[in-house]
Structures are given as structure tokens and as C-alpha cells.
Amino acid sequence: LEQYAEQLSPSIAESAEKLFSENLYTRAEGENCYDGSFTLNLPNERGGLMYTYLDGSFYDWITVTHEFGHFHADWRDVTPIYLQNSNMDIAEAQSQSMVTLFLPYYDEIFGDDAERKQLLVLLDLLDSVISGFAVGEFEYQVTQRLETITPSETAALFAEIMEECGVYLELYQVSHLFEQPGYYISYGVSALSALEMYTLAS
């Protein structure tokens, strides 16, 4: 990450240097760790903390570059905290676009396997579009029936929409629904802008 960040831009290189020199990341592996990934903004300290769960697959690289996009955007935001507004669509655009910025260097990073891994990144972004809008549709329909829908009907509706869209998610797997309602569609919205950036850069 640090090696290729230098080739992207001076500001991205500076963010990578800060991340590693100040140890602002946690690398989690194994069944005793939380198996999600996230980045915390620390606006009063001009920094952030990056937590990545790694399972040993290629998706570790996507996870790290995705969360690095959040880190890069968060610590460079000099807006005073009392004036900040949370915009999830922008936040995910920053992270998913960071993933695409590394794509031109896949030949150097992955050699003969570069093309397959580039396609995996693009498929992951397309999946973000489909699953993001599918979950968004579920949330919209639930809020339309908020006063009358039962728990079993809620679960059935989720399963129905996911099946219709070809998304392999179970209701309990989408923690955003319980912790940050309305967030998940941002993955779809921002993936569209990340794909646009990819077409402009390639």
C-alpha cells in the first residue's frame, strides 16, 4: 500500500506514511476477532484509526485499500467538528474510488494474476451497486409499512428482495440495518461514481 500510494499522488503518499509511521491501524486475523472492517475519524487529533479484518484471500487487498480511502479522507478533513456533516454517499465514494485508483498498478503488484484480480474488483463494485440498491429497496418498503409490518413479514420481505436481485445476503448479516439505518444504499450510490472514475482513468 505504502509503495504504490507514492505513485498515486503526494497527498495519498503522505496519508500512507502517517498511517504506518504512527501505527494508526489494527490488523485483525482469526476467529476471535471482529470480522468486519471500519475506520474511525479522530477530528480533534487530525487522525483516524483503521481496523481491517483479514481472512487471507485477495479481498484483504480490497478491504485495506477501501478502508485506506476512508482514512485518507478523514484525517485530511480540516473542517471543525462542530461544522462537520456526515455524508455517507461521499464517504463510500472516497473509499471505493481509492480501490479503483490502484487498478493500473495490478500488473506490477500481482503479475500474471493481475487481470483476474482487476475483474474481481470490478465485480465487487457491481455487486455493491446491486446489493446496495436491493437493501435500500428493502428499507424503503419497510418504512412504508412501519406501523403494520410484523417481524416475520420483515424477514420474508428481505429474503424476497434479495432473491429477486440475486443477492446472497441474510438479514442478520447486514449490521448497518440495525446500527445505521439508511446507510447501506450508499455502497450502491458510491460504487457508481467509483466505476465512473475507473472508466475515466483507464
Side-chain angles (χ1 to χ4, degrees):
L1 178 69
E2 195 168 18
Q3 176 184 348
Y4 288 93
E6 293 178 356
Q7 300 185 47
L8 294 177
S9 78
S11 66
I12 293 175
E14 184 184 16
S15 295
E17 197 277 332
K18 180 180 181 69
L19 176 70
F20 292 110
S21 66
E22 298 182 23
N23 294 314
L24 297 174
Y25 65 94
T26 296
R27 170 188 174 131
E29 297 176 273
E31 59 184 21
N32 294 324
C33 299
Y34 171 62
D35 63 355
S37 297
F38 58 88
T39 300
L40 294 175
N41 186 12
L42 303 174
N44 288 336
E45 300 178 27
R46 284 293 320 280
L49 293 173
M50 197 170 115
Y51 176 97
T52 53
Y53 178 80
L54 308 178
D55 63 9
S57 72
F58 164 68
Y59 287 97
D60 288 348
W61 171 246
I62 296 178
T63 297
V64 168
T65 50
H66 178 105
E67 293 303 329
F68 176 65
H70 286 305
F71 177 85
H72 173 66
D74 285 348
W75 88 268
R76 304 189 78 85
D77 186 352
V78 296
T79 307
I81 189 168
Y82 57 86
L83 294 177
Q84 288 187 5
N85 285 317
S86 178
N87 187 321
M88 297 306 175
D89 294 337
I90 294 299
E92 292 306 333
Q94 292 162 334
S95 58
Q96 290 178 312
S97 294
M98 183 64 77
V99 175
T100 65
L101 288 178
F102 283 91
L103 284 170
Y105 302 100
Y106 272 37
D107 285 337
E108 296 177 38
I109 299 170
F110 298 111
D112 293 340
D113 206 26
E115 184 177 359
R116 185 180 72 88
K117 289 182 173 173
Q118 286 172 328
L119 289 174
L120 285 174
V121 171
L122 297 176
L123 286 171
D124 189 63
L125 286 170
L126 290 172
D127 179 69
S128 293
V129 173
I130 297 166
S131 62
F133 283 100
V135 173
E137 176 64 20
F138 163 75
E139 289 189 286
Y140 173 75
Q141 289 194 32
V142 168
T143 56
Q144 294 298 105
R145 300 165 52 188
L146 203 54
E147 301 300 322
T148 60
I149 194 167
T150 66
S152 59
E153 288 172 337
T154 302
L157 176 63
F158 184 88
E160 177 187 333
I161 293 173
M162 295 308 113
E163 182 178 0
E164 181 181 349
C165 296
V167 176
Y168 300 101
L169 282 175
E170 298 289 343
L171 182 57
Y172 71 88
Q173 293 176 309
V174 188
S175 60
H176 307 69
L177 293 171
F178 310 101
E179 298 169 359
Q180 295 170 294
Y183 185 126
Y184 206 82
I185 194 172
S186 296
Y187 289 109
V189 173
S190 57
L192 290 173
S193 63
L195 286 165
E196 184 176 7
M197 177 174 284
Y198 167 73
T199 61
L200 292 172
S202 37

